[in-house]
């Protein structure tokens, strides 16, 4: 009898192992694990994933009333741990659902920079890649903020204006409906760059400096609440922007808090925060949430606020 019981237990364990290998049974930690932080250069998209997520949005909805996943310093892929803010290429960011790009542009050749580090790509090349994506996914739109930095800052806007085509780039300062800008790039104005739609940021000066992760979480939560209030109560004459990104580089207390280390702590927390907010009816609108190293599931959580 005892031998039969032991044999039965062994068979039961073997069945569980086989079911787990076949994907029918998962451990609790595997079910709960979400990809919120992405430091790899490789993007693996689920087969069922719909790249053209903006397709379901009503054509009459203003883009300032949409919650948009964004990339802070979108092309900061080079320069080591102190400078890197993203791991995925521009093309992969767009495929994963990112629809707001934060670019630092410098010089007569319109080089993309992060600090002093050249990111091995120019604005005309970036524009060409975005247009190639939009030519394939015509229901989408991509918001682009240009921040002139370093050399020839005063000339950047004129140089960009000379290379864009108004037919596929929105440069007006009025907020368009999504139906007006499908398949187009929408420029976002801020500070010395005045082409495109106006932007209202929730961050205060110096909020990007991180010396304590928990304090950073509190700041991000406050900014998202402010964004939700602005998105709900204003007349949508500007798009709201909040950052979850940050760095301790340049501070005396957070020297080891590189952008990747901050994102590794903030991104899982941000996912859970947004998950709690997503059950509200109606769901809040947050405008743009610009992130460092966002994982696929975090990007999708932001997108879900539009459904």
């Amino acid at each position: 009898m005892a031998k039969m019981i032991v044999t039965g237990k062994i068979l039961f364990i073997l069945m569980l192992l086989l079911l787990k290998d076949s994907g029918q049974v998962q451990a609790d930690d595997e079910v709960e694990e979400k990809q919120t932080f992405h430091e790899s250069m490789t993007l693996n998209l689920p087969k069922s994933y719909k790249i053209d997520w903006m397709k379901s949005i009503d054509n009459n909805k203003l883009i300032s009333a949409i919650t948009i996943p964004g990339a802070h310093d979108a092309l900061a892929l080079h320069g080591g741990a102190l400078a890197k803010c993203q791991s995925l290429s521009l093309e992969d960011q767009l495929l994963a659902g990112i629809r707001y790009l934060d670019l630092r542009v410098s010089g007569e050749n319109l080089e993309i920079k992060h600090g002093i580090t050249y990111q091995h790509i120019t604005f005309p090349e970036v524009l060409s890649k975005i247009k190639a994506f939009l030519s394939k996914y015509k229901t989408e739109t991509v918001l682009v903020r240009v921040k002139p930095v370093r050399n020839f800052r005063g000339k950047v806007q004129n140089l960009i204006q000379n290379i864009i085509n108004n037919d596929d780039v929105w440069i007006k300062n009025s907020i368009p409906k999504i139906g007006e800008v499908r398949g187009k790039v929408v420029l976002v104005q801020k500070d010395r760059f005045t082409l495109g739609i106006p932007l209202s940021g929730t961050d205060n000066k110096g909020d990007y400096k991180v010396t304590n992760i928990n304090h950073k979480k509190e700041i991000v939560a406050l900014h998202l609440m402010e964004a939700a209030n602005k998105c709900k109560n204003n007349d949508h004459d500007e798009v709201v922007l909040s950052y979850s990104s940050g760095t301790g580089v340049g501070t005396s207390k957070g020297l080891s808090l590189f952008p990747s280390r901050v994102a590794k702590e903030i991104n899982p927390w941000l996912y859970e925060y947004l998950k709690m907010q997503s059950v509200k009816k109606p769901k809040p609108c947050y405008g743009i949430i610009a992130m460092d190293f966002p994982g696929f599931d975090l990007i999708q959580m932001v997108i879900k606020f539009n459904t």
Side-chain angles (χ1 to χ4, degrees):
M1 182 69 177
K3 185 176 181 181
M4 289 177 63
I5 293 173
V6 172
T7 303
K9 285 182 178 179
I10 292 172
L11 286 172
F12 180 70
I13 292 169
L14 286 171
M15 285 175 65
L16 283 178
L17 290 171
L18 287 170
L19 286 171
K20 184 177 179 182
D21 288 340
S22 68
Q24 295 181 48
V25 173
Q26 290 179 299
D28 288 342
D29 58 345
E30 290 177 331
V31 173
E32 294 300 323
E33 186 178 354
K34 295 294 182 181
Q35 189 189 84
T36 59
F37 173 75
H38 192 104
E39 203 173 17
S40 166
M41 295 173 64
T42 303
L43 175 67
N44 295 311
L45 295 174
K47 290 182 179 179
S48 60
Y49 170 58
K50 301 292 185 182
I51 293 170
D52 51 352
W53 64 265
M54 287 182 153
K55 186 176 183 178
S56 62
I57 299 175
D58 190 310
N59 275 334
N60 292 315
K61 196 162 191 176
L62 294 170
I63 61 171
S64 55
I66 300 171
T67 301
I68 299 173
H72 157 256
D73 249 314
L75 295 177
L77 303 171
H78 306 279
L82 277 69
K84 283 187 67 174
C85 296
Q86 307 296 333
S87 60
L88 293 175
S89 67
L90 171 59
E91 293 92 336
D92 281 349
Q93 288 181 40
L94 294 173
L95 290 173
I98 294 293
R99 294 293 179 268
Y100 168 86
L101 303 170
D102 171 23
L103 304 177
R104 315 300 165 94
V105 184
S106 173
E108 289 186 298
N109 293 326
L110 299 176
E111 297 177 342
I112 306 299
K113 294 275 189 86
H114 186 200
I116 63 172
T117 306
Y118 174 45
Q119 298 301 319
H120 307 291
I121 194 167
T122 65
F123 183 82
E125 292 170 327
V126 170
L127 194 59
S128 178
K129 289 175 182 288
I130 297 172
K131 287 182 178 181
F133 171 81
L134 293 173
S135 69
K136 187 173 183 180
Y137 301 99
K138 300 180 187 299
T139 60
E140 308 305 286
T141 185
V142 178
L143 281 64
V144 176
R145 179 195 170 187
V146 173
K147 182 177 181 181
V149 295
R150 307 188 70 80
N151 301 329
F152 300 97
R153 282 184 293 177
K155 293 184 177 181
V156 165
Q157 178 167 314
N158 288 336
L159 291 169
I160 287 178
Q161 197 161 10
N162 289 336
I163 65 169
I164 60 176
N165 182 339
N166 291 355
D167 292 337
D168 51 25
V169 180
W170 183 276
I171 63 170
K172 300 176 186 177
N173 63 4
S174 57
I175 300 292
K177 297 174 182 177
I178 183 67
E180 297 178 275
V181 290
R182 293 193 189 278
K184 294 185 178 183
V185 176
V186 176
L187 292 182
V188 179
Q189 58 172 282
K190 191 76 165 67
D191 303 328
R192 64 176 66 231
F193 190 84
T194 59
L195 296 176
I197 62 175
L199 182 72
S200 173
T202 59
D203 276 40
N204 298 311
K205 186 176 181 180
D207 279 347
Y208 71 92
K209 296 178 180 179
V210 181
T211 56
N212 181 285
I213 295 292
N214 287 330
H215 181 58
K216 177 63 178 178
K217 292 176 183 177
E218 294 172 3
I219 291 174
V220 174
L222 287 172
H223 289 164
L224 290 175
M225 285 191 287
E226 181 184 346
N229 287 331
K230 283 185 175 182
C231 203
K232 178 182 178 180
N233 298 323
N234 72 12
D235 54 5
H236 295 290
D237 58 355
E238 57 189 8
V239 65
V240 181
L241 168 67
S242 301
Y243 289 98
S244 67
S245 56
T247 180
V249 177
T251 68
S252 58
K253 295 182 179 180
L255 293 176
S256 63
L257 293 174
F258 302 145
S260 59
R261 185 175 172 191
V262 173
K264 195 169 187 177
E265 297 286 339
I266 291 293
N267 290 7
W269 167 85
L270 179 60
Y271 176 89
E272 293 299 330
Y273 175 88
L274 293 173
K275 184 178 179 181
M276 287 192 297
Q277 301 303 311
S278 69
V279 300
K280 292 183 177 179
K281 296 183 180 179
K283 292 180 181 179
C285 160
Y286 289 113
I288 301 163
I289 304 177
M291 304 168 282
D292 280 349
F293 300 97
F296 177 77
D297 290 313
L298 177 56
I299 294 170
Q300 296 312 299
M301 179 57 70
V302 177
I303 290 171
K304 284 179 182 178
F305 281 84
N306 301 297
T307 59

